[in-house]
Amino acid sequence: MNTAIVLITVLAIGLRLYQLTRPQYLLGVTEYDDGTDFGSAVLLIHGYLPYRDFIMVQPPGITLLMAPVAAATKALGTAWGMGVGRILTAVAGGAGAGLTGLLVRQRGLLAVILASGIVAVFPASVQAAHTVLLEPWLVLFCLLGALAVFDGDGLTSSNRRLVWGGLAFGFAGAVKVWAILPVVVILVLTARQWRRALGFAAGVVAGFLVPVLPFAALAPRTFYDSVVLAQLVRVDVVRVALSYRLHQITGLTDFSSLGPVPLTIVTVAILVLIVGCAIAASRRSGQGPLPLEQFSYGATGLTIIAFLWPADFYYHYAGFLAPFLALAVALPVARLVATLGPAAGATRWLARWLVRYGTAAASVIIVIFAILQVSFETTLQPPLAPTTPGLTGTIIDQAQRVIPPGSCVLADQASYAIAANRFGSSRPGCVPMVDGVGSDYSLSQGRNAASGAQYVPAVRALWLSALRGADYVWLSPLSYKRIPWTAREITDYFDQHFVPAPGGPFGLYVRKS
């Protein structure tokens, strides 16, 4: 059992680290959110406090987790700091597969292979761990909390473990507030024993407030507008298609040719399989779903609803669903197979086949999906074009040659400046900007520059102040969603004071002499 958990964990970490061997994936620009997550830690190390000195729309958990790595950027540079952060995130993401296996090991080898294996090869879980994103760390602390709260298939009898589990879930919430979803399920499971529920809840509150309160207390209004209000009322121009969400939620991204109707049918079939196995296992064993099963069903259901409800949805979101879905599949299937041992009549042949070959079949399926994942990763290319026509070196190289160290660089995507070791400046008047779109959300109650943020005076004032303090402006292809260019004063100031940087990559502008 332990050998299987170790092997699958190694597979999970290997799949996640393999991505970082692809061109530009270790030190280049591959994402928007990682610039915010890692950049916030770099700013913290340089004395800037989240919410008071700069805006971010997530709790400060990831800022604290990355702070030790950010401290090393003074010697390593921000590019290698991000690289180290990516390696740590890949390991944290892979560790989730092992922790999921530990949760179900009392159910036998089949449950371990299914639960650990699904998390190991689940595409969204793998992709979310390719850089410094929140989901791998969120899952890690949620699973640590679950291991403390559950003892085998039931809730622990130890009040101390409940409190420790609450602390882990609370810190998970300090990374991303989605941790409240599994917390709600556990509170429901412990509701009949209110003192135990209270102990768990106290741990959750402490685990959340200890890292969050020092920052929130210094800027309570900005914290509320950013972390709470902007997330609840976020507005976007286009709603993400249901088919894209289902591909990510089901893990069937390798079968992107499936249209909306077939994909919906497959999704329903998966849900029917889970429910059918749960009902059959309960009937054959004469016992309803055990607490760990109830936890997996509740957390899976709430998470899916949360993913289908809002207009926005991104590929890495489904990485949070992976362990709960894996438990919801593995636990009833393993329980059903265990009850089929003494089967008689028409089910005898199927029972014998499942008992004898089920583990091998599950292993083969996991290996097939691992091969598909490796095939996908092998074709990965850097999101930024590596060169600009007529210029030599990568875009990052070009920017490093043109921008002097210490310059104030305003980038609508912070990961650009981080990759070029040009993030952050102590020059007076330089505005610390780590999350352009998040700043818009916070100041305009959930709108970005493409959905109405340009009409809010505070948004225009922030960007105008940032432009006035900048030596260089580095624009991504999506700057129109972050910078309110339709505001006349913003466009006029930029046109009057900035020109394309000679010898620099496309999108890099320098202040006129």
Side-chain angles (χ1 to χ4, degrees):
M1 205 82 65
N2 291 334
T3 301
I5 293 174
V6 170
L7 290 176
I8 295 176
T9 303
V10 170
L11 170 66
I13 295 175
L15 288 174
R16 287 152 178 80
L17 289 176
Y18 179 60
Q19 294 181 104
L20 300 182
T21 67
R22 302 299 85 207
Q24 302 295 313
Y25 267 72
L26 180 61
L27 300 179
V29 177
T30 63
E31 186 60 68
Y32 174 85
D33 286 354
D34 59 355
T36 297
D37 299 336
F38 186 73
S40 65
V42 175
L43 290 180
L44 178 65
I45 291 301
H46 286 83
Y48 297 99
L49 297 180
Y51 319 114
R52 190 195 71 175
D53 300 321
F54 63 90
I55 295 175
M56 55 187 289
V57 293
Q58 300 294 348
I62 192 65
T63 306
L64 297 174
L65 286 170
M66 288 294 120
V69 181
T73 61
K74 295 180 179 181
L76 295 175
T78 54
W80 265 109
M82 176 73 87
V84 173
R86 285 168 172 166
I87 293 171
L88 293 175
T89 303
V91 174
L99 295 177
T100 307
L102 291 175
L103 271 173
V104 301
R105 59 183 170 178
Q106 73 281 356
R107 291 292 185 92
L109 185 59
L110 175 60
V112 166
I113 291 176
L114 281 174
S116 289
I118 289 174
V119 175
V121 303
F122 199 80
S125 180
V126 178
Q127 294 307 306
H130 87 276
T131 189
V132 183
L133 295 176
L134 303 179
E135 284 76 13
W137 298 100
L138 170 65
V139 166
L140 180 70
F141 286 98
C142 282
L143 290 175
L144 289 172
L147 280 169
V149 168
F150 292 97
D151 189 358
D153 290 316
L155 291 165
T156 179
S157 59
S158 169
N159 292 330
R160 180 177 296 182
R161 283 182 56 177
L162 276 176
V163 173
W164 278 110
L167 287 169
F169 275 110
F171 187 80
V175 174
K176 197 163 189 174
V177 293
W178 289 352
I180 192 62
L181 299 176
V183 165
V184 167
V185 178
I186 294 175
L187 287 174
V188 171
L189 292 177
T190 58
R192 293 183 179 180
Q193 299 173 298
W194 67 268
R195 294 193 181 193
R196 286 163 55 77
L198 189 61
F200 172 74
V204 172
V205 171
F208 179 79
L209 288 183
V210 168
V212 169
L213 192 58
F215 300 107
L218 293 173
R221 178 61 185 272
T222 304
F223 178 83
Y224 173 77
D225 288 344
S226 304
V227 178
V228 180
L229 185 61
Q231 300 289 14
L232 292 176
V233 298
R234 186 180 296 187
V235 178
D236 213 334
V237 177
V238 178
R239 180 179 177 82
V240 175
L242 177 62
S243 59
Y244 178 79
R245 299 176 197 239
L246 293 181
H247 271 114
Q248 299 296 332
I249 288 172
T250 58
L252 297 176
T253 56
D254 291 313
F255 303 91
S256 56
S257 59
L258 284 176
V261 174
L263 184 59
T264 302
I265 293 173
V266 171
T267 303
V268 172
I270 293 173
L271 294 176
V272 169
L273 174 64
I274 294 173
V275 174
C277 287
I279 293 174
S282 296
R283 285 181 176 178
R284 293 191 63 85
S285 65
Q287 188 178 23
L290 299 174
L292 183 60
E293 292 174 300
Q294 295 173 33
F295 169 75
S296 69
Y297 302 152
T300 298
L302 288 179
T303 302
I304 290 176
I305 292 171
F307 286 169
L308 297 180
W309 184 268
D312 284 344
F313 179 86
Y314 298 95
Y315 72 92
H316 48 85
Y317 284 7
F320 175 61
L321 173 66
F324 307 130
L325 181 61
L327 292 173
V329 171
L331 289 170
V333 169
R335 189 178 179 195
L336 178 59
V337 170
T339 64
L340 289 176
T347 61
R348 178 175 294 178
W349 180 86
L350 175 61
R352 288 180 177 176
W353 189 93
L354 286 173
V355 171
R356 183 174 300 177
Y357 302 111
T359 301
S363 301
V364 170
I365 293 172
I366 297 303
V367 169
I368 290 173
F369 274 87
I371 292 172
L372 290 173
Q373 183 62 36
V374 170
S375 177
F376 166 77
E377 293 178 23
T378 301
T379 63
L380 287 174
Q381 296 293 324
L384 285 180
T387 60
T388 299
L391 299 176
T392 59
T394 67
I395 284 177
I396 302 303
D397 293 334
Q398 295 162 17
Q400 285 179 326
R401 286 196 297 267
V402 170
I403 304 173
S407 300
C408 181
V409 180
L410 173 61
D412 69 284
Q413 183 167 328
S415 54
Y416 281 28
I418 290 173
N421 290 312
R422 297 296 185 267
F423 178 75
S425 173
S426 58
R427 193 176 63 75
C430 187
V431 175
M433 177 75 72
V434 72
D435 188 359
V437 69
S439 299
D440 293 344
Y441 286 149
S442 174
L443 297 174
S444 66
Q445 297 189 356
R447 298 180 180 274
N448 60 33
S451 61
Q454 67 271 24
Y455 301 114
V456 179
V459 172
R460 300 196 300 270
L462 173 67
W463 284 104
L464 193 58
S465 176
L467 285 170
R468 286 170 175 159
D471 300 314
Y472 290 83
V473 177
W474 199 347
L475 303 179
S476 76
L478 294 179
S479 68
Y480 71 93
K481 296 186 69 175
R482 300 158 190 161
I483 304 177
W485 294 117
T486 53
R488 184 66 179 269
E489 63 264 45
I490 300 293
T491 305
D492 286 350
Y493 185 90
F494 180 79
D495 290 341
Q496 292 168 12
H497 294 86
F498 290 91
V499 294
F506 179 80
L508 182 64
Y509 296 81
V510 62
R511 182 176 290 277
K512 296 179 182 178
S513 300

Coordinates of all heavy atoms in Angstrom, one line a residue, residues 46-56 214-220 222-223 226 432:
H46 N 10.5 43.8 0.2 CA 11.0 45.2 0.0 C 10.3 46.2 0.8 O 10.4 47.4 0.6 CB 11.1 45.5 -1.4 CG 12.2 44.8 -2.2 ND1 12.0 43.6 -2.7 CD2 13.4 45.2 -2.5 CE1 13.1 43.2 -3.3 NE2 14.0 44.2 -3.2
G47 N 9.4 45.8 1.8 CA 8.8 46.7 2.7 C 7.4 47.2 2.3 O 6.8 48.0 3.0
Y48 N 6.8 46.7 1.2 CA 5.5 47.1 0.8 C 4.5 46.1 1.3 O 4.7 44.9 1.2 CB 5.3 47.1 -0.7 CG 6.2 48.1 -1.4 CD1 7.4 47.8 -2.0 CD2 5.8 49.5 -1.5 CE1 8.3 48.7 -2.6 CE2 6.7 50.4 -2.1 CZ 7.9 50.0 -2.7 OH 8.7 50.9 -3.3
L49 N 3.4 46.6 1.9 CA 2.4 45.7 2.5 C 1.2 45.5 1.6 O 0.7 46.5 1.1 CB 2.0 46.3 3.9 CG 3.1 46.4 5.0 CD1 2.5 47.0 6.2 CD2 3.7 45.0 5.2
P50 N 0.7 44.3 1.5 CA -0.5 44.1 0.6 C -1.7 44.8 1.2 O -1.8 44.9 2.4 CB -0.7 42.6 0.7 CG 0.2 42.0 1.7 CD 1.2 43.0 2.0
Y51 N -2.5 45.3 0.3 CA -3.7 46.1 0.6 C -3.5 47.5 1.0 O -4.2 48.4 0.7 CB -4.6 45.4 1.6 CG -4.7 43.9 1.4 CD1 -4.2 43.0 2.4 CD2 -5.3 43.3 0.3 CE1 -4.2 41.6 2.2 CE2 -5.3 42.0 0.1 CZ -4.7 41.1 1.0 OH -4.7 39.8 0.8
R52 N -2.4 47.7 1.8 CA -2.1 49.1 2.2 C -1.3 49.8 1.1 O -1.6 51.0 0.7 CB -1.3 49.1 3.5 CG -1.1 50.5 4.1 CD 0.0 50.6 5.1 NE 1.3 50.4 4.6 CZ 2.4 50.5 5.3 NH1 2.3 50.8 6.6 NH2 3.6 50.4 4.7
D53 N -0.2 49.1 0.6 CA 0.6 49.7 -0.4 C 0.4 49.3 -1.8 O 0.8 49.9 -2.8 CB 2.1 49.4 0.0 CG 2.5 50.0 1.3 OD1 2.0 51.1 1.7 OD2 3.2 49.3 2.1
F54 N -0.2 48.1 -2.0 CA -0.6 47.6 -3.4 C -1.8 46.7 -3.2 O -2.1 46.2 -2.1 CB 0.6 46.9 -4.0 CG 1.0 45.6 -3.3 CD1 0.5 44.4 -3.6 CD2 2.0 45.7 -2.3 CE1 0.9 43.3 -2.9 CE2 2.4 44.6 -1.6 CZ 1.9 43.3 -1.9
I55 N -2.5 46.6 -4.3 CA -3.7 45.8 -4.3 C -3.5 44.4 -4.9 O -2.8 44.2 -5.9 CB -4.8 46.5 -5.2 CG1 -5.1 47.9 -4.6 CG2 -6.1 45.7 -5.3 CD1 -6.1 48.7 -5.4
M56 N -4.1 43.4 -4.2 CA -4.2 42.1 -4.7 C -5.6 41.6 -4.2 O -6.1 42.0 -3.2 CB -3.1 41.2 -4.2 CG -2.9 41.1 -2.7 SD -1.4 40.2 -2.2 CE -1.9 38.5 -2.6
P214 N -3.2 40.7 10.4 CA -2.2 41.8 10.5 C -2.2 42.7 9.2 O -2.0 43.9 9.3 CB -0.9 41.1 10.6 CG -1.2 39.8 11.2 CD -2.5 39.4 10.7
F215 N -2.5 42.1 8.1 CA -2.5 42.9 6.8 C -3.9 43.6 6.6 O -4.0 44.8 6.3 CB -2.2 42.0 5.6 CG -0.9 41.4 5.7 CD1 -0.8 40.0 5.9 CD2 0.3 42.1 5.5 CE1 0.5 39.4 6.0 CE2 1.5 41.5 5.5 CZ 1.6 40.2 5.8
A216 N -5.0 42.8 6.9 CA -6.3 43.4 6.8 C -6.6 44.6 7.7 O -7.3 45.5 7.4 CB -7.4 42.3 7.0
A217 N -6.0 44.5 8.9 CA -6.2 45.6 9.9 C -5.6 46.9 9.5 O -6.1 48.0 9.8 CB -5.7 45.1 11.2
L218 N -4.5 46.8 8.7 CA -3.9 48.1 8.2 C -4.6 48.7 7.1 O -4.4 49.9 6.9 CB -2.4 47.8 7.8 CG -1.5 47.3 8.9 CD1 -0.2 46.9 8.3 CD2 -1.3 48.4 9.9
A219 N -5.4 48.0 6.4 CA -6.2 48.6 5.2 C -7.5 47.8 5.1 O -7.7 47.1 4.1 CB -5.4 48.5 3.9
P220 N -8.4 47.9 6.1 CA -9.6 47.1 6.1 C -10.5 47.3 4.9 O -11.1 46.4 4.3 CB -10.3 47.5 7.4 CG -9.7 48.8 7.8 CD -8.3 48.8 7.3
T222 N -9.7 48.4 1.8 CA -9.1 47.8 0.6 C -9.2 46.3 0.6 O -9.5 45.7 -0.4 CB -7.7 48.3 0.4 OG1 -7.6 49.7 0.4 CG2 -7.1 47.8 -0.9
F223 N -8.9 45.7 1.8 CA -9.0 44.3 1.9 C -10.4 43.8 1.6 O -10.6 42.8 0.8 CB -8.6 43.8 3.3 CG -8.7 42.4 3.6 CD1 -7.7 41.5 3.2 CD2 -9.9 41.8 4.1 CE1 -7.8 40.2 3.4 CE2 -10.0 40.5 4.4 CZ -8.9 39.6 4.0
S226 N -11.2 44.2 -2.1 CA -10.4 43.3 -3.0 C -10.8 41.9 -2.8 O -11.1 41.2 -3.8 CB -9.0 43.6 -2.7 OG -8.6 44.9 -2.9
P432 N 4.0 50.7 -6.8 CA 4.1 49.2 -6.8 C 2.9 48.6 -7.4 O 1.8 48.6 -6.7 CB 4.3 48.9 -5.3 CG 3.7 50.0 -4.6 CD 3.9 51.2 -5.4

